[in-house]
Amino acid sequence: DAAQPFDFESKKQKSERERGEENAAEAAIASTSSGEEKEKTGKASTKLKIGIVGFGTFGQFLARRMVSQGHQVMATSRSDKYNEIAKELGVE
């Protein structure tokens, strides 16, 4: 009574169905996170106002990333030597 027959076909079909659902979910997440879905639906995406203290190598890296994603970036540094770079990047 303890040993029951195992149905390999239904197990295979179930795993294929689950993989299909996972792929659909991953595609939905990817399209939402890339912003394409928001643009298609007309919903406004959240744009942040970001401040960076210290505009050296790492501060510039952060600024490039945030500006490329459409955020408003403001930065400050101890020296004025980064003003030209900030203007080129679109940083206030």
Side-chain angles (χ1 to χ4, degrees), residues 52 55-67 89:
I52 297 175
F55 204 63
T57 305
F58 190 64
Q60 291 173 38
F61 166 76
L62 292 174
R64 279 189 190 95
R65 292 293 221 162
M66 299 304 162
V67 168
L89 294 175

Side-chain angles (χ1 to χ4, degrees), residues 34-86:
S34 68
E36 294 172 10
E37 189 64 28
K38 291 178 185 176
E39 291 175 6
K40 290 177 186 175
T41 60
K43 293 182 183 176
S45 60
T46 304
K47 300 296 179 190
L48 302 175
K49 189 172 187 179
I50 300 167
I52 297 175
V53 177
F55 204 63
T57 305
F58 190 64
Q60 291 173 38
F61 166 76
L62 292 174
R64 279 189 190 95
R65 292 293 221 162
M66 299 304 162
V67 168
S68 71
Q69 294 175 4
H71 301 294
Q72 181 183 356
V73 178
M74 298 170 65
T76 185
S77 188
R78 287 187 286 179
S79 69
D80 293 333
K81 66 182 180 181
Y82 299 113
N83 288 343
E84 196 62 37
I85 297 170

